[in-house]
């Protein structure tokens, strides 16, 4: 089998197609406990695997676990491939994972991916202690530990758009001169930026991976093309955000519609 290196966005796109194909059978959980809501409302970064400490990035990517906002599916990475599937809470701290499709990139370090995949197969309960989520098998030592990520701090800074679902237009056709940018201020929840022509401001309500932008106000210079209106319209529809290293993906439901790269 031949493996080809792909971007993080390509990995995410494969999973969103998988998730969308399952949409007809989705079960939305509405009676989660406060502890379960804490788990599903946040992103978790891998810090320990089979008793071994995990620090920093692997293959220049941050190993993570996300619980998707529909209440039934998860996405995770050991630093190379993105894997996903379904999860189900039981009573008394029980949780089970049903692994699904995984991307198939080749990376220098793939062992963490392999071991993390086994964690999801073997986990049958969890413990939550402050900001640390442990996935366990019976009463044995934790199979994996994750630390909660502050979503607001993860978004902080300025990001430049490098992909948008363009309704048949290429990115270069939409933005021949200037690429749109967006800046998040975690202290005030304010959002500012440029749509490719006009400056704009808004605010963002962030709850874990969920995000909602307030109505956008912008300057009113005359601009050519459909790129800027598409940018503003898409931004207002977004309801999920995902940060992985220097890439920010904004999502509508299960479909990735915008991707940004963080400015250095």
């Amino acid at each position: 089998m031949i493996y080809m290196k792909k971007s993080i966005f390509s990995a995410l796109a494969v999973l969103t197609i998988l998730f969308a194909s399952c949409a007809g059978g989705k079960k939305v959980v509405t009676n989660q406990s406060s502890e379960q809501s804490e788990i599903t409302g946040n992103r978790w970064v891998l810090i320990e695997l089979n008793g071994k400490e995990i620090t920093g990035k692997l293959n220049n990517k941050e190993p993570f676990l996300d619980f998707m906002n529909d209440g039934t599916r998860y996405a995770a990475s050991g630093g190379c491939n993105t894997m996903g599937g379904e999860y189900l809470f039981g009573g008394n701290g029980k949780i089970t994972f049903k692994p699904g499709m995984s991307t198939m990139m080749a990376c220098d370090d793939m062992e963490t991916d392999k071991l993390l995949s086994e964690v999801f197969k073997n986990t049958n309960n969890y413990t939550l202690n402050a900001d640390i989520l442990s996935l366990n098998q019976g009463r044995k030592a934790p199979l994996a530990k994750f630390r909660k990520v502050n979503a607001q701090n993860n978004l902080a800074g300025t990001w430049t758009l490098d992909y948008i679902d363009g309704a048949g237009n290429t990115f270069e056709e939409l933005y021949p001169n200037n690429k749109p940018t967006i800046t998040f201020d975690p202290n005030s929840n304010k959002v500012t930026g440029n749509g490719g022509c006009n400056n704009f401001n808004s605010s963002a309500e962030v709850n874990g991976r969920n995000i909602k932008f307030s109505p956008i106000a912008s300057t009113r210079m005359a601009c050519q093309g459909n790129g800027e209106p598409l940018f503003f319209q898409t931004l207002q529809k977004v309801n999920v955000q995902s940060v992985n290293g220097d890439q920010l993906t904004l999502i509508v439901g299960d479909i990735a519609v915008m991707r940004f790269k963080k400015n250095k």
Side-chain angles (χ1 to χ4, degrees), residues 14 19 30 44 47 65 82 98-99 152 155 160 163 195 215 223 251-252:
V14 171
F19 292 156
T30 58
W44 302 88
I47 59 172
L65 169 61
T82 305
K98 182 180 178 181
Q152 288 281 18
L155 288 166
T160 298
Y163 168 84
C223 308
I251 303 165
V252 178

Side-chain angles (χ1 to χ4, degrees), residues 13-83:
V14 171
L15 283 174
T16 54
I17 291 172
L18 169 66
F19 292 156
S21 69
C22 300
K26 285 195 285 188
K27 304 183 294 295
V28 178
V29 177
T30 58
N31 59 343
Q32 291 184 342
S33 68
S34 59
E35 186 175 74
Q36 291 168 1
S37 296
E38 175 76 5
I39 292 172
T40 57
N42 290 286
R43 159 165 283 206
W44 302 88
V45 173
L46 183 66
I47 59 172
E48 184 180 302
L49 184 59
N50 294 340
K52 179 182 177 182
E53 184 180 9
I54 304 293
T55 59
K57 298 179 180 180
L58 299 173
N59 305 303
N60 294 316
K61 302 171 188 176
E62 190 172 58
F64 69 90
L65 169 61
D66 281 343
F67 293 86
M68 308 301 283
N69 68 326
D70 74 336
T72 63
R73 298 194 301 273
Y74 72 93
S77 175
C80 180
N81 285 287
T82 305
M83 61 193 81

Side-chain angles (χ1 to χ4, degrees), residues 134-156:
S134 299
L135 299 183
N136 316 307
Q137 182 180 33
R139 296 185 178 181
K140 300 178 182 178
L143 300 175
K145 290 183 179 180
F146 299 83
R147 184 183 67 250
K148 184 171 69 175
V149 174
N150 185 313
Q152 288 281 18
N153 290 342
N154 233 18
L155 288 166

Side-chain angles (χ1 to χ4, degrees), residues 47-232:
I47 59 172
E48 184 180 302
L49 184 59
N50 294 340
K52 179 182 177 182
E53 184 180 9
I54 304 293
T55 59
K57 298 179 180 180
L58 299 173
N59 305 303
N60 294 316
K61 302 171 188 176
E62 190 172 58
F64 69 90
L65 169 61
D66 281 343
F67 293 86
M68 308 301 283
N69 68 326
D70 74 336
T72 63
R73 298 194 301 273
Y74 72 93
S77 175
C80 180
N81 285 287
T82 305
M83 61 193 81
E86 299 180 352
Y87 71 91
L88 178 66
F89 283 117
N92 300 318
K94 294 180 180 179
I95 188 171
T96 54
F97 294 87
K98 182 180 178 181
M101 184 179 289
S102 171
T103 58
M104 301 186 71
M105 296 184 292
C107 303
D108 293 335
D109 178 2
M110 301 186 70
E111 184 65 16
T112 304
D113 269 9
K114 179 181 177 181
L115 295 175
L116 187 58
S117 178
E118 291 299 314
V119 166
F120 294 124
K121 292 178 183 178
N122 295 324
T123 294
N124 56 22
N125 71 91
Y126 72 88
T127 52
L128 181 63
N129 185 2
D131 290 343
I132 305 300
L133 171 66
S134 299
L135 299 183
N136 316 307
Q137 182 180 33
R139 296 185 178 181
K140 300 178 182 178
L143 300 175
K145 290 183 179 180
F146 299 83
R147 184 183 67 250
K148 184 171 69 175
V149 174
N150 185 313
Q152 288 281 18
N153 290 342
N154 233 18
L155 288 166
T158 299
W159 307 78
T160 298
L161 186 74
D162 65 9
Y163 168 84
I164 188 169
D165 186 354
N169 296 301
T170 67
F171 189 80
E172 290 71 22
E173 289 171 341
L174 290 169
Y175 308 105
N177 299 314
N178 299 314
K179 296 179 180 179
T181 62
I182 187 167
T183 300
F184 293 88
D185 180 354
N187 297 317
S188 64
N189 296 333
K190 289 184 178 179
V191 176
T192 57
N194 185 279
C197 178
N198 285 284
N199 294 326
F200 74 91
N201 65 79
S202 179
S203 62
E205 180 183 342
V206 181
N207 181 15
R209 295 186 70 251
N210 298 330
I211 187 169
K212 181 180 180 181
F213 292 93
S214 66
I216 293 170
S218 72
T219 55
R220 296 180 177 241
M221 292 190 298
C223 308
Q224 294 182 342
N226 299 319
E228 184 166 87
L230 178 64
F231 177 78
F232 290 150

